[in-house]
Amino acid sequence: MSKSLVIVESPAKGKTISKFLGADYIVEASFGHVRDLPKSGMGIDIEHKFEPDYEVSPDKKKRIAELKKLVKATDQVYLASDEDREGEAISWHLCQALGLDPKTTKRIVFHEITETAIKKAIANPRFVDQNLVDAQQARRVLDRLVGYEISPVLWRKIQTGLSAGRVQSVAVRIIVEREREIENFAGSASYKISAEFSASDGKVKAELPQKFAQSDDAHKFVTDCIGAKFSVSSLETKPASRKPAAPFTTSTLQQEAARKLSFSVRQTMSGAQRLYEQGHITYMRTDSVHLSDLAIEASKAEITKEFGARYHQLRQFTTKSAGAQEAHEAIRPTQFARSTISGERNEQRLYELIWKRTVASQMADAQLERTTGEIAISTRSELLIAKGEQIKFDGFLKLYLAQESDEETEEEGILPPLAKGDVLDLEIMRAVQTYTRPKPRYTEASLVKALEEMGIGRPSTYAPTISTIQDREYIEKGDLEGAQRPVKQFVLEQGTVKEIDTTENYGADKGKLFPTAIGMLVNDFLVAHFSGVVDPGFTKKVEEEFDEIADGHQPWNKMIAEFYGPFHETVLAAADVDRMAASGAREIGTDPKSGKPVIARMGRFGPMLQIGLAEDDEKPKFAPMPNGKKIDQVTLDEALEMFKLPRTLGQTPDGEDIKANLGRFGPYVQFGKTYVSIKPDDPFTITLERALELIATKKQADAEKHIATFDGGIQVLNGRFGPYITDGTKNAKIPKGTDPTSITAAVAKDMLTAAPARSKRKRITKPRAS
């Protein structure tokens, strides 16, 4: 009997597909890309229309040999890689590596892994779409040219090991510019008036629409309200409605999973990939919000069964993003009758989010009643405004409410029954000092939204871009401790005005994206010397040209040639840039002891200080940058103070010197090869007694921390949040009720394999203005 070979990217995908095809089909995986540009060398023949020199990846040679044998042993080959440009390129590369003709080899595509979809794809094959392949090829070649030609410039002018990329560098620029907006933001204070009243049937909260810039004006307003009569001067009630959000695209799934589930974009995409491969959802890389007729009918049946016919409202959403393909679908469940799935908990949570969002998109509007009341003050001309909102019919809100922003919003409460002319009793009135705020820092979710709105990248590139800029340490995800600032309040209660001085924490951030010092330096160099490449407009234009290539409207190498000429000239011009200026190094004065220059510059681990030059007879001295200071901010006096470190405090009982110093991760003391953090103590003022106390505490904690050690560096340890398993790169929590001393090496290994990658969130230290 004849056999057919179906080649997919991943074993998980292949395992699901093989269930539907039966014994006549052999389903095998390529394990992703099988060919790429070489690791060393550019791999592009610029003189011959930018012809790429692809090679089979070393780790795929054995797999290609195995697939070649299967090709010879079967009668028909189906290429079943993903349906996007990346998947099309994989199919084309498989043809080249396996000796297949892309013009005659059958190519099948599907956006969900269900029996119906797979059998339909087998029955309706096509051939490799060369236009899609060329669009991906253009992206790969352009990105290699940019990285290969700019990166050596960065090595020569700033620091070895740096890199640049067409999309990643624009993403870094967006974050750097937002950080500088925040740093340069000049806030202003004003006073917000709020009041609480008692009515016959409940409480009423109201606010003054305008704010007072001066404390005297706010104080006078509150004082004028002593003994005043407050009455409802007007009342307006209007019907309103709220519509459900569209089904998920890649971008909106990443944003919503970050907000509702606290997932990173990488975590979201790896989870969605597994759900797709298991047949639970449709393809997860899409910019379409379209739903098929089958999906609409299936959701209607589920809504009618669960909630009743009045909760259903047929909708077909239109995709707004440029280049989106309506033939593709939004991310949706493959089986609407399945609201939950079994399996790993985070995959369950992600699936439930997708299911609820899709079903809610086909549900009726929520019907609301919004009431606005104006409250007159007998002693003032201003009006206080009270607002309330009441849900009359919950509609889609019965199932799901999308969160449109990272920022918290205040929900309007419900007003008690009121009538025009009602007199209200004032319980309390407050004039509270408030401050204007800068635009918020980006989260992973809001950065994805910004990239999408600017037309930078495509669904397949958002997660890799955000991961890359963090992996290369241009950007870090972290938490920022805030600072205290004064807040003045004037409170009117029981006929008396009190002035209250309090404080509030401001500037704190959690899980936000911060540029590192090296990230800012590289960005500034690229903006100064490669402004065209890191211009969001250029990146958007390139994406549009990729779309034109995919549609067959432009040859890919013509597009590359038009880019490369001017770009290469810019690279050549950058050779003349002064290295000291490019690296951000700054001579800040002269050391009074040696007469040598004192320099603030970028080092391997961030900004640092140096006395003397490399070409001097004597080796330069180095010191850390003062906490919170930048290269362009540090003064000579501050710099010279840092060279007093390390500071010898005394000795341990064993006779080892104890030194206080400031390092990459903050202040510490050292004896021998042991380092002990002394946060929040100061290395300039810490005493020997305090250091010995911290050393003793550290030794005790280390002794209590260790539970077990296994081969491969796997340990069972006690941590701040309970016992856990680690191999130094990943951590796995030990479930409650499990005795950590009973864990075997095999169990520890399995738990680490199932654990998510360790978060790279850091605590960020920044100077704060008061």
Short mmCIF file of all heavy atoms in Angstrom, two decimals, residues 313-346:
data_model
loop_
_atom_site.label_atom_id
_atom_site.label_comp_id
_atom_site.label_asym_id
_atom_site.label_seq_id
_atom_site.Cartn_x
_atom_site.Cartn_y
_atom_site.Cartn_z
N GLN A 313 -25.71 38.12 20.03
CA GLN A 313 -25.76 39.18 19.02
C GLN A 313 -24.66 38.91 17.99
O GLN A 313 -23.48 39.00 18.31
CB GLN A 313 -25.56 40.57 19.64
CG GLN A 313 -25.70 41.70 18.63
CD GLN A 313 -25.63 43.07 19.30
OE1 GLN A 313 -25.99 43.21 20.46
NE2 GLN A 313 -25.18 44.06 18.55
N LEU A 314 -25.06 38.57 16.78
CA LEU A 314 -24.08 38.24 15.75
C LEU A 314 -23.24 39.46 15.39
O LEU A 314 -23.76 40.55 15.18
CB LEU A 314 -24.81 37.73 14.50
CG LEU A 314 -23.94 37.15 13.39
CD1 LEU A 314 -24.67 36.04 12.66
CD2 LEU A 314 -23.49 38.22 12.39
N ARG A 315 -21.93 39.26 15.33
CA ARG A 315 -21.00 40.35 14.96
C ARG A 315 -19.91 39.78 14.06
O ARG A 315 -19.47 38.66 14.25
CB ARG A 315 -20.31 40.95 16.19
CG ARG A 315 -21.21 41.50 17.25
CD ARG A 315 -20.39 41.87 18.49
NE ARG A 315 -21.24 42.03 19.64
CZ ARG A 315 -21.85 43.15 19.98
NH1 ARG A 315 -21.67 44.22 19.23
NH2 ARG A 315 -22.61 43.22 21.05
N GLN A 316 -19.48 40.59 13.11
CA GLN A 316 -18.27 40.28 12.34
C GLN A 316 -17.38 41.50 12.40
O GLN A 316 -17.75 42.58 11.94
CB GLN A 316 -18.61 39.93 10.89
CG GLN A 316 -17.43 39.40 10.09
CD GLN A 316 -16.78 38.18 10.70
OE1 GLN A 316 -15.90 38.29 11.58
NE2 GLN A 316 -17.19 37.00 10.27
N PHE A 317 -16.24 41.34 13.03
CA PHE A 317 -15.32 42.47 13.23
C PHE A 317 -14.42 42.64 12.00
O PHE A 317 -14.10 41.68 11.30
CB PHE A 317 -14.46 42.22 14.47
CG PHE A 317 -15.24 42.23 15.75
CD1 PHE A 317 -15.85 41.07 16.22
CD2 PHE A 317 -15.38 43.40 16.49
CE1 PHE A 317 -16.57 41.08 17.41
CE2 PHE A 317 -16.10 43.41 17.67
CZ PHE A 317 -16.70 42.25 18.13
N THR A 318 -14.04 43.88 11.77
CA THR A 318 -13.17 44.21 10.64
C THR A 318 -11.79 44.56 11.16
O THR A 318 -11.64 45.34 12.10
CB THR A 318 -13.71 45.42 9.84
OG1 THR A 318 -15.04 45.10 9.42
CG2 THR A 318 -12.85 45.70 8.63
N THR A 319 -10.78 43.98 10.55
CA THR A 319 -9.40 44.22 10.96
C THR A 319 -8.96 45.60 10.49
O THR A 319 -9.13 45.96 9.33
CB THR A 319 -8.48 43.15 10.37
OG1 THR A 319 -8.96 41.88 10.81
CG2 THR A 319 -7.06 43.34 10.82
N LYS A 320 -8.36 46.36 11.41
CA LYS A 320 -7.91 47.72 11.10
C LYS A 320 -6.44 47.79 10.73
O LYS A 320 -6.01 48.71 10.07
CB LYS A 320 -8.18 48.65 12.30
CG LYS A 320 -9.66 48.83 12.60
CD LYS A 320 -9.86 49.71 13.83
CE LYS A 320 -11.34 49.84 14.18
NZ LYS A 320 -11.53 50.65 15.41
N SER A 321 -5.64 46.83 11.19
CA SER A 321 -4.20 46.95 10.99
C SER A 321 -3.84 46.74 9.52
O SER A 321 -4.43 45.92 8.83
CB SER A 321 -3.43 45.95 11.86
OG SER A 321 -3.59 44.65 11.37
N ALA A 322 -2.84 47.51 9.07
CA ALA A 322 -2.40 47.43 7.68
C ALA A 322 -1.77 46.06 7.43
O ALA A 322 -1.07 45.51 8.25
CB ALA A 322 -1.37 48.52 7.40
N GLY A 323 -2.06 45.52 6.23
CA GLY A 323 -1.43 44.26 5.86
C GLY A 323 -2.12 43.03 6.42
O GLY A 323 -1.71 41.91 6.15
N ALA A 324 -3.19 43.23 7.22
CA ALA A 324 -3.88 42.07 7.77
C ALA A 324 -4.62 41.32 6.66
O ALA A 324 -5.05 41.91 5.69
CB ALA A 324 -4.86 42.52 8.85
N GLN A 325 -4.77 40.02 6.83
CA GLN A 325 -5.41 39.20 5.81
C GLN A 325 -6.69 38.62 6.37
O GLN A 325 -6.67 37.81 7.29
CB GLN A 325 -4.45 38.08 5.38
CG GLN A 325 -3.13 38.61 4.84
CD GLN A 325 -2.15 37.50 4.59
OE1 GLN A 325 -2.40 36.63 3.78
NE2 GLN A 325 -1.02 37.53 5.29
N GLU A 326 -7.84 39.05 5.81
CA GLU A 326 -9.13 38.62 6.31
C GLU A 326 -9.37 37.12 6.07
O GLU A 326 -10.25 36.53 6.65
CB GLU A 326 -10.26 39.45 5.67
CG GLU A 326 -10.25 40.91 6.08
CD GLU A 326 -10.44 41.13 7.57
OE1 GLU A 326 -10.83 40.21 8.29
OE2 GLU A 326 -10.17 42.26 8.03
N ALA A 327 -8.61 36.53 5.14
CA ALA A 327 -8.75 35.09 4.91
C ALA A 327 -8.30 34.32 6.15
O ALA A 327 -8.73 33.21 6.39
CB ALA A 327 -7.92 34.66 3.71
N HIS A 328 -7.42 34.93 6.95
CA HIS A 328 -7.00 34.31 8.20
C HIS A 328 -8.05 34.61 9.27
O HIS A 328 -8.89 35.48 9.12
CB HIS A 328 -5.65 34.86 8.63
CG HIS A 328 -4.55 34.49 7.68
ND1 HIS A 328 -3.29 35.03 7.76
CD2 HIS A 328 -4.52 33.64 6.62
CE1 HIS A 328 -2.53 34.53 6.80
NE2 HIS A 328 -3.26 33.69 6.10
N GLU A 329 -7.96 33.88 10.36
CA GLU A 329 -8.92 34.08 11.44
C GLU A 329 -8.24 34.65 12.67
O GLU A 329 -7.02 34.57 12.83
CB GLU A 329 -9.58 32.75 11.80
CG GLU A 329 -10.82 32.44 10.98
CD GLU A 329 -11.69 31.40 11.68
OE1 GLU A 329 -12.53 31.76 12.51
OE2 GLU A 329 -11.51 30.20 11.37
N ALA A 330 -9.09 35.15 13.55
CA ALA A 330 -8.63 35.55 14.88
C ALA A 330 -8.23 34.28 15.64
O ALA A 330 -8.50 33.16 15.22
CB ALA A 330 -9.75 36.28 15.60
N ILE A 331 -7.59 34.49 16.79
CA ILE A 331 -7.28 33.35 17.67
C ILE A 331 -8.56 32.98 18.41
O ILE A 331 -9.15 33.80 19.12
CB ILE A 331 -6.18 33.73 18.68
CG1 ILE A 331 -4.92 34.20 17.95
CG2 ILE A 331 -5.85 32.56 19.59
CD1 ILE A 331 -3.89 34.85 18.84
N ARG A 332 -9.00 31.76 18.23
CA ARG A 332 -10.26 31.31 18.83
C ARG A 332 -10.18 29.85 19.21
O ARG A 332 -9.29 29.12 18.76
CB ARG A 332 -11.41 31.54 17.85
CG ARG A 332 -11.29 30.71 16.58
CD ARG A 332 -12.59 30.63 15.82
NE ARG A 332 -12.47 29.94 14.55
CZ ARG A 332 -12.51 28.61 14.41
NH1 ARG A 332 -12.62 27.83 15.47
NH2 ARG A 332 -12.42 28.06 13.21
N PRO A 333 -11.12 29.36 20.03
CA PRO A 333 -11.15 27.93 20.34
C PRO A 333 -11.57 27.14 19.09
O PRO A 333 -12.30 27.65 18.24
CB PRO A 333 -12.22 27.82 21.43
CG PRO A 333 -12.59 29.20 21.82
CD PRO A 333 -12.18 30.10 20.72
N THR A 334 -11.12 25.91 19.00
CA THR A 334 -11.58 25.05 17.90
C THR A 334 -12.89 24.36 18.26
O THR A 334 -13.66 23.99 17.37
CB THR A 334 -10.52 23.99 17.58
OG1 THR A 334 -10.23 23.24 18.76
CG2 THR A 334 -9.25 24.64 17.07
N GLN A 335 -13.15 24.20 19.56
CA GLN A 335 -14.40 23.58 20.02
C GLN A 335 -15.07 24.50 21.02
O GLN A 335 -14.63 24.62 22.16
CB GLN A 335 -14.10 22.23 20.69
CG GLN A 335 -13.40 21.22 19.80
CD GLN A 335 -14.28 20.72 18.68
OE1 GLN A 335 -15.51 20.65 18.83
NE2 GLN A 335 -13.68 20.39 17.55
N PHE A 336 -16.13 25.18 20.62
CA PHE A 336 -16.78 26.16 21.50
C PHE A 336 -17.51 25.50 22.67
O PHE A 336 -17.74 26.14 23.70
CB PHE A 336 -17.74 27.04 20.70
CG PHE A 336 -17.04 28.10 19.90
CD1 PHE A 336 -16.51 27.82 18.67
CD2 PHE A 336 -16.89 29.39 20.41
CE1 PHE A 336 -15.85 28.78 17.93
CE2 PHE A 336 -16.23 30.36 19.68
CZ PHE A 336 -15.70 30.06 18.43
N ALA A 337 -17.85 24.24 22.52
CA ALA A 337 -18.53 23.55 23.62
C ALA A 337 -17.56 23.23 24.76
O ALA A 337 -17.99 22.82 25.84
CB ALA A 337 -19.17 22.26 23.10
N ARG A 338 -16.26 23.43 24.52
CA ARG A 338 -15.25 23.10 25.53
C ARG A 338 -14.75 24.41 26.15
O ARG A 338 -13.87 25.07 25.63
CB ARG A 338 -14.11 22.34 24.86
CG ARG A 338 -13.07 21.80 25.81
CD ARG A 338 -12.17 20.79 25.09
NE ARG A 338 -11.61 21.34 23.85
CZ ARG A 338 -11.15 20.60 22.84
NH1 ARG A 338 -11.20 19.29 22.91
NH2 ARG A 338 -10.65 21.17 21.76
N SER A 339 -15.33 24.79 27.29
CA SER A 339 -14.96 26.06 27.93
C SER A 339 -13.70 25.94 28.76
O SER A 339 -13.06 26.94 29.07
CB SER A 339 -16.11 26.58 28.81
OG SER A 339 -16.41 25.64 29.83
N THR A 340 -13.35 24.71 29.13
CA THR A 340 -12.11 24.48 29.89
C THR A 340 -11.40 23.26 29.29
O THR A 340 -12.03 22.44 28.60
CB THR A 340 -12.38 24.22 31.38
OG1 THR A 340 -13.23 23.07 31.51
CG2 THR A 340 -13.05 25.42 32.03
N ILE A 341 -10.12 23.15 29.58
CA ILE A 341 -9.35 22.00 29.11
C ILE A 341 -8.55 21.43 30.28
O ILE A 341 -8.36 22.10 31.30
CB ILE A 341 -8.38 22.39 27.97
CG1 ILE A 341 -7.39 23.47 28.45
CG2 ILE A 341 -9.14 22.80 26.73
CD1 ILE A 341 -6.23 23.71 27.51
N SER A 342 -8.09 20.22 30.13
CA SER A 342 -7.20 19.64 31.13
C SER A 342 -5.77 19.97 30.74
O SER A 342 -5.50 20.41 29.62
CB SER A 342 -7.40 18.12 31.19
OG SER A 342 -7.14 17.56 29.92
N GLY A 343 -4.85 19.75 31.67
CA GLY A 343 -3.45 20.00 31.35
C GLY A 343 -2.79 20.97 32.29
O GLY A 343 -3.26 21.21 33.42
N GLU A 344 -1.68 21.57 31.84
CA GLU A 344 -0.88 22.50 32.66
C GLU A 344 -1.71 23.74 33.00
O GLU A 344 -2.44 24.26 32.16
CB GLU A 344 0.39 22.86 31.87
CG GLU A 344 1.48 23.48 32.71
CD GLU A 344 1.37 24.99 32.79
OE1 GLU A 344 0.90 25.59 31.80
OE2 GLU A 344 1.73 25.56 33.83
N ARG A 345 -1.57 24.22 34.25
CA ARG A 345 -2.47 25.26 34.75
C ARG A 345 -2.42 26.56 33.94
O ARG A 345 -3.45 27.14 33.63
CB ARG A 345 -2.14 25.56 36.23
CG ARG A 345 -3.04 26.62 36.85
CD ARG A 345 -4.51 26.27 36.76
NE ARG A 345 -5.37 27.37 37.17
CZ ARG A 345 -6.54 27.66 36.60
NH1 ARG A 345 -6.99 26.94 35.58
NH2 ARG A 345 -7.26 28.66 37.04
N ASN A 346 -1.21 27.01 33.57
CA ASN A 346 -1.14 28.25 32.82
C ASN A 346 -1.72 28.11 31.42
O ASN A 346 -2.29 29.07 30.88
CB ASN A 346 0.31 28.75 32.74
CG ASN A 346 0.73 29.47 34.00
OD1 ASN A 346 -0.10 29.88 34.81
ND2 ASN A 346 2.03 29.62 34.20
#
